[in-house]
Amino acid sequence: MSVDSSLDRRKDSQTDTGNGNDNGVITPSLSSISTHRLRLNPNTDHKPDSYDDLQLGFSPLLFSSLERYLPPSMLNMPRDAKVQYLTDILLRYSPEGERTRVQRHREYRQKIIVNYQPLHRELYTMNASNFFLPSFLKAISENTEESFRSIMSEPTPGVYTFEMLQPRFCDLLLSEVENFEKWVHDTKFRIMRPNTMNKYGAVLDDFGLETMLDKLMEDFVRPMSRVFFHEVGGSTLDSHHGFIVEYGMDRDVALGFHVDDSEVSLNVCLGKQFSGGELFFRGVRCDKHVNTESQSEEILDYSHVPGRAVFHRGRHRHGARPTTSGHRINLLLWCRSSVFRELKKYQKDFSSWCGECQREKKERQRLSVAATKLELLRREGESAS
């Protein structure tokens, strides 16, 4: 999450709380925290431990992802030592207020899981052959750029579409969401909506689907993002936000122009019958250029098809046109990389992925070449005279 050049920039005010307790919860010891550092480049040959069986203050997947960035002397240490080391670093970059918010959300989620009775329990464990189309599974199994492109279309640079979900899975998930919403209505339980833009929909992680969606990200999204979106952390995705959005005349009608809080986004239409609701894309931008004009080659309008996925960078600007009739429901998975987010803090040039940064860089190069030509012509003129 942090690199050598940045770890000593913040001071931690926490006190030593020991090394653990009788419940198996890892608690941090912050002695010598200033010496704890991660490497800039990961050890790609190292196979990380699994942390799924531990009660941690952060996602177990985050620990597995960061383990490859440990100093060489730490890689073969006992798992508890690696947990301690990584926790000390993570606490430095996670303010107490944020940890309190996370803890409250965890308690909120636990209340739902304890009281809500799932309708289709087969959805809560990844069963790839029942969820995905054979063509998609074959491409993932072969795990090459060629196999991925064989099932994909790329209607504009950086936006990929492909057939992904079986109709039965779409129907089961729609039924599960309807059942959850009925439970919310009957119990008058106040739920959190997916984001600040959508007033309807549900966070799938909050009612028990987090583990299944983790597998979706790790085993199916990350192999593709490693190929197509490596420059924005596609190979180090370690957390997600999974949710359903609903559009219709009695739901959210449209969605304004925005970027996602993700490095990579997967958007799959589940159904039902509807008209309108097209996605419009307008180019990839960094924070500095998020409101700049679009170029003609960046403009794309895309019509949803049930079971078909749209795959793009989170910073690819987009929105949804009004759904003019019927009811449209989509599954979204915002995938994030804590490593990329930390490294991005110390970067100024995003020309590897930001369209406007690329244009500015090309313009600087053009002006430099033109200035060089003028200087050479001037010198030739002087020597001739």
Side-chain angles (χ1 to χ4, degrees):
M1 181 167 184
S2 177
V3 294
D4 288 358
S5 62
S6 65
L7 278 171
D8 293 328
R9 298 189 182 186
R10 299 186 187 182
K11 294 184 178 180
D12 200 297
S13 61
Q14 302 295 316
T15 57
D16 191 341
T17 57
N19 294 319
N21 60 32
D22 294 337
N23 296 322
V25 179
I26 303 297
T27 52
S29 170
L30 299 184
S31 57
S32 304
I33 188 171
S34 62
T35 64
H36 290 187
R37 304 182 179 197
L38 297 181
R39 291 163 55 86
L40 178 61
N41 298 309
N43 184 326
T44 54
D45 295 329
H46 177 70
K47 184 177 180 180
D49 285 324
S50 171
Y51 298 86
D52 291 339
D53 59 317
L54 297 178
Q55 299 179 47
L56 302 165
F58 302 89
S59 165
L61 196 58
L62 177 57
F63 282 82
S64 295
S65 176
L66 290 179
E67 186 177 320
R68 287 192 173 95
Y69 291 82
L70 286 171
S73 61
M74 288 292 301
L75 290 175
N76 295 317
M77 294 288 284
R79 187 177 65 160
D80 285 355
K82 288 185 279 192
V83 167
Q84 187 71 61
Y85 192 98
L86 291 170
T87 299
D88 289 348
I89 292 173
L90 290 168
L91 286 174
R92 172 178 279 184
Y93 288 88
S94 178
E96 185 176 354
E98 174 63 12
R99 296 200 301 275
T100 299
R101 185 195 67 79
V102 169
Q103 179 59 31
R104 287 177 179 170
H105 193 182
R106 188 179 291 116
E107 292 168 357
Y108 155 83
R109 182 175 292 180
Q110 190 61 29
K111 286 181 183 178
I112 296 177
I113 292 173
V114 167
N115 292 285
Y116 172 66
Q117 296 300 314
L119 182 63
H120 302 293
R121 291 192 178 275
E122 61 264 42
L123 292 173
Y124 291 74
T125 303
M126 174 56 71
N127 190 330
S129 61
N130 289 339
F131 292 1
F132 306 120
L133 293 170
S135 59
F136 176 73
L137 289 176
K138 183 175 184 292
I140 293 294
S141 169
E142 294 176 3
N143 195 25
T144 65
E145 180 175 352
E146 183 181 7
S147 69
F148 298 145
R149 287 192 180 276
S150 72
I151 63 168
M152 291 177 168
S153 297
E154 189 179 5
T156 193
V159 176
Y160 302 92
T161 68
F162 51 93
E163 302 292 339
M164 180 180 180
L165 298 179
Q166 292 193 24
R168 183 174 181 273
F169 173 82
C170 295
D171 292 341
L172 288 177
L173 188 53
L174 287 172
S175 174
E176 188 68 46
V177 171
E178 289 175 3
N179 187 62
F180 176 67
E181 291 179 338
K182 182 179 183 300
W183 174 82
V184 169
H185 179 269
D186 292 346
T187 61
K188 296 181 171 54
F189 192 95
R190 187 173 181 181
I191 64 169
M192 298 179 186
R193 295 303 177 181
N195 51 59
T196 57
M197 300 176 289
N198 292 97
K199 296 179 181 178
Y200 295 88
V203 179
L204 299 177
D205 301 312
D206 287 348
F207 62 92
L209 287 163
E210 181 179 24
T211 300
M212 186 274 283
L213 294 176
D214 262 339
K215 293 294 290 181
L216 172 58
M217 178 188 72
E218 187 172 357
D219 295 344
F220 299 94
V221 173
R222 197 158 63 191
M224 296 187 296
S225 64
R226 183 182 293 118
V227 170
F228 298 111
F229 303 130
H230 62 90
E231 76 288 349
V232 292
S235 61
T236 56
L237 301 177
D238 52 28
S239 65
H240 75 265
H241 178 50
F243 56 97
I244 292 289
V245 291
E246 301 180 52
Y247 294 91
M249 300 310 293
D250 59 342
R251 294 289 189 271
D252 291 314
V253 176
L255 186 63
F257 193 52
H258 67 284
V259 294
D260 295 340
D261 182 14
S262 69
E263 275 60 74
V264 175
S265 293
L266 179 75
N267 183 343
V268 193
C269 182
L270 300 176
K272 303 177 180 180
Q273 298 294 321
F274 60 89
S275 299
E278 298 86 359
L279 282 179
F280 58 92
F281 288 91
R282 296 295 184 267
V284 185
R285 296 291 187 274
C286 64
D287 288 339
K288 177 183 176 183
H289 296 123
V290 70
N291 292 316
T292 56
E293 292 294 321
S294 301
Q295 304 300 311
S296 59
E297 65 273 13
E298 295 177 318
I299 295 174
L300 169 69
D301 280 26
Y302 169 81
S303 297
H304 287 288
V305 178
R308 189 170 180 84
V310 186
F311 190 48
H312 59 88
R313 294 175 184 85
R315 298 296 307 185
H316 207 131
R317 302 179 300 176
H318 60 285
R321 302 196 187 284
T323 297
T324 53
S325 68
H327 191 192
R328 177 171 69 84
I329 303 178
N330 282 51
L331 162 65
L332 285 100
L333 194 69
W334 287 357
C335 303
R336 298 158 176 163
S337 167
S338 55
V339 172
F340 174 76
R341 292 187 176 208
E342 179 62 23
L343 296 177
K344 191 171 70 169
K345 295 176 184 178
Y346 309 101
Q347 289 180 283
K348 293 182 179 179
D349 178 25
F350 302 104
S351 58
S352 64
W353 53 271
C354 171
E356 195 61 28
C357 285
Q358 291 170 1
R359 274 182 283 280
E360 288 183 352
K361 185 175 182 178
K362 288 179 180 178
E363 179 62 14
R364 289 194 299 270
Q365 291 172 341
R366 186 189 68 79
L367 292 174
S368 176
V369 169
T372 301
K373 287 181 178 179
L374 285 174
E375 178 63 18
L376 290 174
L377 289 172
R378 185 186 66 79
R379 291 180 182 180
E380 287 180 2
E382 289 180 352
S383 62
S385 62

